[in-house]
Amino acid sequence: MVEVTVTPQSSLADRPVQIRVRGLSPSQLVTLRAWLKDEQGECFQSRAFFRADGAGEVDPGLHAALGGSYSGVWPMGLLWFLQPDTLFRRLVKRDVAGSPFRVRLEVLDGLSLGTDPREQPLASCEAERWYVGPGVQRVPIREGRVRGALFLPP
């Protein structure tokens, strides 16, 4: 049975995570796809093509992507290379303290170039990427023409 995992499943957006796929056939070609919907409902996605090792595993931190949104060894490449489905959109998190980005990670059989996020994956999981740690207080700043936010640790 194919399984994809993200460790840790919930983390701050600037912290590294480990993505692993297990249960593949040795040397099987697969596509790893990451996608999310932003707060306006726009879809952003990335994909990378991998060949499983002799144990039937894929680890983007050890194995080079053969193509897709990037190539080479990039442990966080699936998260760093997210691109919008709609041109000229930017991935921006407006509600940094209230909710995370929920990134869906999927493993697709073979080389999948489709952009439909409803393709049937072999396995999938979800990762939460938070922009503010637990207990951090956000204080809005308005002084003259200066606008900003002060983030105070717990």
Side-chain angles (χ1 to χ4, degrees):
M1 183 168 115
V2 178
E3 175 187 38
V4 60
T5 58
V6 178
T7 308
Q9 185 270 332
S10 182
S11 65
L12 291 173
D14 64 346
R15 303 284 186 208
V17 295
Q18 183 178 39
I19 300 168
R20 291 190 107 158
V21 181
R22 294 183 177 97
L24 300 167
S25 301
S27 300
Q28 181 178 353
L29 280 172
V30 293
T31 301
L32 266 65
R33 178 174 62 195
W35 64 275
L36 63 83
K37 288 197 176 186
D38 71 3
E39 293 156 327
Q40 277 71 46
E42 293 291 331
C43 189
F44 291 77
Q45 60 182 311
S46 65
R47 67 186 64 242
F49 312 129
F50 291 92
R51 183 176 299 280
D53 64 13
E57 297 184 358
V58 170
D59 181 344
L62 299 175
H63 303 118
L66 306 173
S69 301
Y70 67 95
S71 61
V73 178
W74 291 78
M76 300 285 293
L78 288 168
L79 302 175
W80 289 341
F81 292 98
L82 289 165
Q83 295 293 316
D85 284 355
T86 305
L87 292 176
F88 308 114
R89 297 287 184 177
R90 288 187 0 187
L91 185 58
V92 176
K93 183 73 173 137
R94 303 222 185 272
D95 180 17
V96 295
S99 65
F101 271 139
R102 297 184 196 287
V103 183
R104 189 87 180 154
L105 294 158
E106 299 174 338
V107 181
L108 303 161
D109 191 24
L111 304 179
S112 174
L113 298 172
T115 57
D116 184 3
R118 295 168 297 194
E119 284 180 78
Q120 201 56 253
L122 298 173
S124 65
C125 70
E126 189 172 86
E128 292 181 346
R129 304 293 282 169
W130 290 89
Y131 282 81
V132 175
V136 172
Q137 181 183 6
R138 181 182 188 273
V139 179
I141 304 295
R142 292 178 181 257
E143 187 67 37
R145 295 184 348 203
V146 175
R147 302 289 183 264
L150 173 64
F151 292 89
L152 297 171

